[in-house]
Amino acid sequence: MKDAAGVVIYVGKALRLPDRVASYFIPSAELGPRKSSLLDEVHTFDYLTCEGEWEALLAENRLIKDIKPKYNERLTDDKTFPYLVITQREDYPRVFVTRNPGGVDPKTGNVPPEMRSARVFGPFTNAGALREAVQVLQRIFRFRTCSLDIVEGDPKNRFFRPCLLHAIEQCTAPCNESISKARYREDIDRFARFLDSKRSVILREMKAEMAEASEKLEFERAAALRDQIRAIEKLDERASR
């Protein structure tokens, strides 16, 4: 939503945009002082079509973070809204949701080594939707969400028993080195690209990687990519269940 000067004053998302916009203008609607004030300033609307629910969730939060619209100002409180973090300095990076994106320990003021250079996405408007998205995407990219300190080559890894997430195929179990560091990094990098790109872009890249793996007779890697591609293509179908 933009004001008369063309300045963006509010960003939101909707599955059915006409219904969402119309709901603001129903005479009997109880909008409250905040939304009533918003409607007094709205002059024009602009919209961006996304390829699915997850892309819309990410696009909404990128726009709010970049533009900082007047009526989304409640998102400026970093301690209130959730963020998605992908660590970078660990041998096997992990993914988690936090309300402390800087990772600063409130008692010591220090930042843990694994949080330095971490990739942070957000803030997000809905913690429940974010956690649901992480669960669905974990089935595809099979990243770890635990807080274990996993070091490649540690002899103890061979005897470590993976958790239930490995049994239900939601994690590749780097904790007992069921996957190599290089292969796990490929999955994490692919997940990060998925968050940064349109679905069609990442699918095109993954199909090229699958073809390359097949040409090199790396059939196990090609099969894993095939399964990820199919899962991404069915992402909205999964979300609607």
Side-chain angles (χ1 to χ4, degrees):
M1 296 181 179
K2 299 180 179 180
D3 63 15
V7 176
V8 177
I9 57 176
Y10 180 75
V11 172
K13 68 177 180 66
L15 185 61
R16 297 178 179 83
L17 187 59
D19 293 345
R20 173 72 182 277
V21 173
S23 69
Y24 284 93
F25 298 94
I26 298 175
S28 60
E30 296 183 5
L31 300 176
R34 181 173 172 274
K35 288 186 178 179
S36 296
S37 178
L38 167 64
L39 292 184
D40 289 339
E41 295 188 44
V42 172
H43 185 72
T44 59
F45 296 88
D46 201 355
Y47 68 91
L48 174 67
T49 303
C50 297
E51 296 178 344
E53 278 286 305
W54 310 119
E55 288 85 350
L57 179 69
L58 293 166
E60 177 193 32
N61 288 281
R62 278 198 292 264
L63 289 170
I64 290 172
K65 184 176 181 180
D66 293 343
I67 301 174
K68 296 181 175 60
K70 176 180 178 180
Y71 286 94
N72 294 106
E73 61 185 5
R74 60 196 180 98
L75 291 175
T76 58
D77 184 356
D78 291 347
K79 295 181 180 178
T80 302
F81 287 83
Y83 290 75
L84 180 66
V85 176
I86 304 176
T87 61
Q88 297 294 305
R89 293 197 172 189
E90 295 176 294
D91 283 354
Y92 298 92
R94 55 195 169 97
V95 177
F96 60 93
V97 175
T98 181
R99 295 180 186 272
N100 179 16
V104 178
D105 187 320
K107 294 182 179 179
T108 65
N110 296 327
V111 178
E114 67 271 14
M115 285 297 293
R116 296 168 190 165
S117 303
R119 297 198 63 180
V120 179
F121 299 85
F124 290 86
T125 57
N126 188 315
L130 175 59
R131 293 184 189 281
E132 181 185 351
V134 170
Q135 289 179 358
V136 173
L137 294 172
Q138 189 178 22
R139 297 175 203 157
I140 300 172
F141 298 100
R142 301 179 68 185
F143 46 77
R144 75 182 184 103
T145 53
C146 65
S147 58
L148 292 174
D149 184 15
I150 306 173
V151 179
E152 184 186 30
D154 188 334
K156 294 182 293 185
N157 293 345
R158 291 184 301 162
F159 305 102
F160 194 87
R161 184 176 181 179
C163 69
L164 180 62
L165 289 176
H166 176 60
I168 61 176
E169 298 186 346
Q170 284 192 220
C171 179
T172 46
C175 53
N176 76 342
E177 297 191 8
S178 294
I179 185 172
S180 69
K181 177 180 175 180
R183 187 61 55 80
Y184 183 85
R185 282 276 182 177
E186 286 181 5
D187 287 340
I188 281 289
D189 290 344
R190 201 172 290 120
F191 173 56
R193 294 204 310 274
F194 175 84
L195 296 178
D196 275 333
S197 309
K198 286 186 176 181
R199 186 185 313 189
S200 56
V201 174
I202 187 64
L203 282 173
R204 186 163 58 248
E205 292 177 359
M206 291 175 67
K207 288 176 181 178
E209 289 180 41
M210 181 177 67
E212 181 183 359
S214 296
E215 289 178 3
K216 293 181 179 179
L217 305 183
E218 298 175 356
F219 298 121
E220 184 178 346
R221 177 167 173 258
L225 283 164
R226 177 203 62 202
D227 293 343
Q228 288 183 341
I229 289 168
R230 288 176 177 174
I232 291 174
E233 290 174 337
K234 295 180 179 179
L235 197 54
D236 287 329
E237 178 183 325
R238 286 170 177 259
S240 63
R241 289 177 182 174

